[in-house]
Amino acid sequence: MTITLLGCGSTPAPGPRFTLGQMESDTLFNNHQQFLNNYQSAQITQAEQALVESWPSDIEFNVYFGTWCHDSEREVPKLLKLLSYNKTLTISLIGLDYKKTEPNGGAKANGVQFTPTIIVTRAGKELGRIVEQPAVSLVSDIHQIIKKHSV
């Protein structure tokens, strides 16, 4: 017997509709109920909140994800909930199709192959990225990326 497991790095069979390109979180939540449900149920500790609040205001997040992807449904809402504790951070949400492309070509230019891919930048320079899921946790992994590049 052969069992094939497909992650979000693979091309799934056509299924649910997806939202493509740059979008606001309201658009994501209004069109994809599971993202809203996961955002509302995300639990953020006081320690995580304090770390997020300490991040410099010039940090930017480019979040490439698929509204059709279970990894994105899990990680993107939690990321958005975390980042809501620091309104000075810039967040760009970019929805991808099954081939990991979108109208502006940013995914291709940034070598995105899996979803979600969270690229952390400062002054246009990539500091690091989280692909599919964090090694420890979103807040811990992002904090380490920022800390590694702090001046």
Side-chain angles (χ1 to χ4, degrees), residues 2-151:
T2 302
I3 298 175
T4 304
L5 300 175
L6 297 177
C8 293
S10 303
T11 303
R17 69 184 177 92
F18 50 84
T19 304
L20 197 58
Q22 187 111 12
M23 71 186 82
E24 297 295 323
S25 59
D26 288 346
T27 301
L28 175 64
F29 295 148
N30 288 335
N31 294 322
H32 302 279
Q33 186 65 42
Q34 192 58 48
F35 282 83
L36 177 60
N37 294 346
N38 290 350
Y39 178 86
Q40 291 172 336
S41 67
Q43 300 293 313
I44 309 303
T45 68
Q46 288 184 339
E48 290 173 324
Q49 182 178 339
L51 278 178
V52 172
E53 289 172 346
S54 76
W55 295 345
S57 62
D58 59 346
I59 297 296
E60 299 176 2
F61 296 85
N62 295 311
V63 183
Y64 294 93
F65 69 103
T67 55
W68 42 267
C69 171
H70 66 278
D71 290 334
S72 295
E73 285 179 345
R74 182 188 63 243
E75 301 300 339
V76 172
K78 181 152 189 180
L79 176 69
L80 293 173
K81 181 68 90 64
L82 283 168
L83 299 182
S84 74
Y85 290 103
N86 188 335
K87 301 288 187 198
T88 66
L89 302 170
T90 302
I91 308 158
S92 295
L93 294 173
I94 305 106
L96 305 179
D97 63 17
Y98 298 132
K99 294 182 180 182
K100 317 305 179 293
T101 61
E102 42 79 29
N104 293 328
K108 183 176 182 178
N110 284 294
V112 173
Q113 297 178 2
F114 303 98
T115 57
T117 295
I118 302 164
I119 302 175
V120 183
T121 66
R122 180 184 245 167
K125 179 185 176 211
E126 181 175 332
L127 304 180
R129 61 177 65 192
I130 298 170
V131 179
E132 289 190 303
Q133 62 186 18
V136 177
S137 72
L138 283 171
V139 72
S140 175
D141 288 16
I142 293 167
H143 191 71
Q144 290 305 312
I145 289 168
I146 293 169
K147 187 176 169 183
K148 182 178 174 183
H149 296 279
S150 290
V151 194

